[in-house]
Amino acid sequence: MRTRLVRIACLFASAAPAASIAAAAMAALGVASIPARAEAKPTSSPAVEVSNAPPETPNAAPPGAPRAAPPGAPRAAPPGAPRAAPLGAPRAAPPGAPKAGSASPPAGARATASRASAKKAKAPEPPPLPPAPARVWLIAPTPRGPWTLRIDNEGDRPMRIPADVRLLRLEIDTFDQRKKKTFRCAAPAGLKPSGFPERRALLLAPGQSFIERFDPRLLCFGKDEAALTGGAVVRAWYGWGPPPRWSRKPPAAPFAAESTENPPAFAPAVGLAAPTMVLSHGRPPARAAAATDPAGGAEPHPDADDKGDQSAADRSAPSAADKPAPPTTDKPAPPTTDEAAPPEADRGAHPAAREHAPPDRSRVTASSNGPIVDANAPRLELTSEPWSDAASPRSIVIRVRARNAGRRPMTVALRPRMLEFRVDGPNGTTVCQASPPTNAIPRDMYRTLKPGASSSMSVLLKEACPGNTFDREGLYEVTATLHANESGSGVGLDAYTAVVPAKSSTLLRVKSAPGPFYSAAPRAVPTPAPKGSEAPEHDPEHDNE
């Protein structure tokens, strides 16, 4: 019945689209099973529209029942729910939101307002403190020492410093054949204090200084000793390293100079830089006088150690002033007869007499009566290693080498107990004696050294020297002497015997010891006044050694 009514409605359609008429008819009849695409596309023929209509379902809903929603259509809202706004209508603003008519401020204005409020809330920063009025001097009269470290308080407020030369670092540039080489000298990790040495804390009043003499080889040890030469450029830094350039954090303790007042009178300094200096090529005054002595003083080797200590003076050649005067009682006075050589003026006036003058018999007699030296005879030369770095007194080892420098072989007995050591260190000079001859060495302990052959010996100085010889940290100088005193008469041998000193000494550095590096507390002394344009000199009475 419904199908017939639909066909009748389609036949009577004149101007309206077939789909609209069919929809109106179906709405009047209560039909809700027409697809949605039938409303979108108008049909040109009623027959086509009828043929595309869905077939009638056998279980159709009775009239008046609620219509089923087409597939894909939104579900109906439950009762009491707010109705959705139609498409295109303006959305309602949430509660608490600004009204549509009010304009929001731009982002730049809000940022400017926040910065202005932050500046008003932040207190003004205090002015920066002045730098620490501490000045470091490094005085080096000779390339290899001794040098002097001096720290002056040039301000009007007291300051606190660590009076310890082990905090000094050196950067030395040497120039050899137009080649630059940089050496960095510093105390090793075991010897340098890791933090502020409280035992060496010194309070300097205005106009006071700290002065200490030291050996630069304590810092430039081993191969770095080659940097201590004339013409080298030295840059010194005292204290701890500055913070990196990219760091914005304030400097942290420990400090090389800080104020003793609260609030501080000046900014603390992590380190202090000394003025750059150039090492001189000259020698100490005593050696310079000996080298230029017209009376026959021997000039030392250019590579010799330029130390001004007593041991270096003993090894240097004596000058004419130091030579003993010839005795007047043992030798007769020179002859004054006519056979004596005429004065220099008379020789120039009489060249013929100078040619026929008799030889000087005094020189001939002296040369004929003098001892004759056999240059080919066997003889020993003793050498020791140039330096030795020890962690503790128990690990100090000195290696000595004895070589036959002659041209004939020798028979000799060499034992470590025959070595004598002279130790110059912080506690003064100590002599480690060699053992006396026993005349009881068996035959197989004598050896034959050919020309140029050598024998090496290693000695633990802790066993060969007194117990308190190396009880302090620091630098020592050890000189060995060989006492070859076993003649071999007990076994029918004619062995070589002699006392042979070493040609050079061994520089020893002890990093750790039972005793401290310093034996006394530091002292502050009045700042010496500079003499003219020269560098400030130190007072030997106030040296902290």
Side-chain angles (χ1 to χ4, degrees):
M1 184 67 184
R2 293 181 180 180
T3 306
R4 294 177 181 178
L5 292 176
V6 170
R7 290 180 180 178
I8 294 172
C10 292
L11 291 176
F12 287 97
S14 58
S20 301
I21 297 174
M26 294 175 65
L29 297 175
V31 180
S33 60
I34 298 177
R37 60 175 179 269
E39 299 179 1
K41 293 183 179 181
T43 57
S44 57
S45 175
V48 176
E49 183 67 24
V50 172
S51 63
N52 291 337
E56 182 179 359
T57 56
N59 298 327
R67 300 177 183 178
R75 297 180 179 179
R83 299 181 179 180
L87 185 64
R91 298 181 180 178
K99 297 180 179 181
S102 61
S104 60
R110 291 197 299 269
T112 306
S114 62
R115 292 196 202 115
S117 60
K119 287 183 179 179
K120 292 180 180 179
K122 188 176 180 181
E125 296 183 358
L129 296 174
R135 182 169 184 180
V136 176
W137 295 82
L138 200 62
I139 306 169
T142 59
R144 298 198 177 185
W147 292 5
T148 302
L149 171 67
R150 175 176 142 186
I151 305 177
D152 300 341
N153 183 1
E154 297 183 343
D156 54 356
R157 293 289 188 274
M159 68 173 58
R160 178 175 178 260
I161 65 169
D164 199 322
V165 74
R166 294 173 294 177
L167 299 176
L168 190 64
R169 292 184 299 173
L170 304 177
E171 186 174 340
I172 305 177
D173 295 335
T174 59
F175 304 90
D176 185 12
Q177 298 179 356
R178 298 181 180 180
K179 293 182 180 180
K180 177 183 175 181
K181 187 175 182 181
T182 302
F183 296 84
R184 291 174 175 84
C185 305
L191 188 62
K192 181 180 179 180
S194 58
F196 190 98
E198 294 295 339
R199 294 183 179 180
R200 304 297 299 175
L202 182 62
L203 304 182
L204 291 180
Q208 287 187 341
S209 302
F210 166 71
I211 301 176
E212 179 179 357
R213 296 182 66 188
F214 70 99
D215 194 329
R217 297 177 297 177
L218 176 69
L219 309 177
C220 296
F221 189 80
K223 296 182 180 180
D224 293 339
E225 188 179 351
L228 305 177
T229 180
V233 180
V234 181
R235 293 178 295 274
W237 178 267
Y238 183 81
W240 292 267
R245 296 181 179 179
W246 51 264
S247 177
R248 297 182 179 181
K249 296 182 179 179
F255 299 113
E258 59 181 338
S259 176
T260 60
E261 302 175 353
N262 191 13
F266 50 84
V270 178
L272 303 172
T276 304
M277 66 177 182
V278 180
L279 299 181
S280 64
H281 292 272
R283 290 178 292 274
R287 287 200 171 190
T292 57
D293 185 12
E299 182 176 357
H301 194 272
D303 297 335
D305 191 4
D306 289 334
K307 296 187 301 178
D309 54 357
Q310 185 64 25
S311 59
D314 295 341
R315 291 193 297 267
S316 62
S319 60
D322 298 334
K323 293 181 180 179
T328 58
T329 58
D330 298 339
K331 293 184 180 180
T336 56
T337 60
D338 296 339
E339 296 180 358
E344 194 67 26
D346 297 343
R347 290 183 181 181
H350 303 280
R354 183 179 59 184
E355 293 178 1
H356 298 284
D360 191 353
R361 297 186 181 276
S362 61
R363 297 181 180 178
V364 176
T365 304
S367 61
S368 62
N369 294 337
I372 299 175
V373 179
D374 185 5
N376 299 324
R379 57 187 178 88
L380 285 177
E381 283 186 354
L382 194 67
T383 57
S384 61
E385 56 185 353
W387 53 78
S388 177
D389 209 356
S392 63
R394 294 181 177 272
S395 60
I396 300 175
V397 178
I398 297 295
R399 296 174 177 84
V400 180
R401 179 170 172 262
R403 186 179 70 91
N404 183 5
R407 297 188 177 183
R408 289 196 293 270
M410 68 164 61
T411 301
V412 64
L414 299 175
R415 307 299 297 168
R417 62 176 179 81
M418 299 179 180
L419 291 172
E420 174 186 311
F421 298 97
R422 175 180 174 176
V423 182
D424 296 325
N427 290 332
T429 301
T430 304
V431 178
C432 309
Q433 298 289 346
S435 300
T438 61
N439 297 323
I441 295 182
R443 175 67 178 82
D444 56 353
M445 287 190 178
Y446 289 88
R447 65 182 64 187
T448 300
L449 293 180
K450 297 181 180 180
S454 62
S455 176
S456 299
M457 295 174 287
S458 299
V459 181
L460 281 170
L461 290 187
K462 183 66 175 178
E463 300 178 356
C465 297
N468 60 348
T469 305
F470 304 100
D471 61 348
R472 287 178 57 187
E473 305 170 348
L475 197 66
Y476 295 82
E477 188 173 2
V478 182
T479 305
T481 302
L482 175 65
H483 292 263
N485 47 21
E486 298 291 345
S487 62
S489 59
V491 292
L493 293 177
D494 187 11
Y496 176 86
T497 58
V499 177
V500 185
K503 300 176 63 176
S504 60
S505 59
T506 299
L507 199 64
L508 172 65
R509 185 171 63 178
V510 180
K511 300 178 183 178
S512 177
F517 184 81
Y518 293 97
S519 60
R523 293 188 302 168
V525 298
T527 303
K531 299 178 180 179
S533 60
E534 299 180 356
E537 299 292 339
H538 65 276
D539 189 357
E541 298 180 357
H542 300 286
D543 292 340
N544 294 270
E545 297 184 347

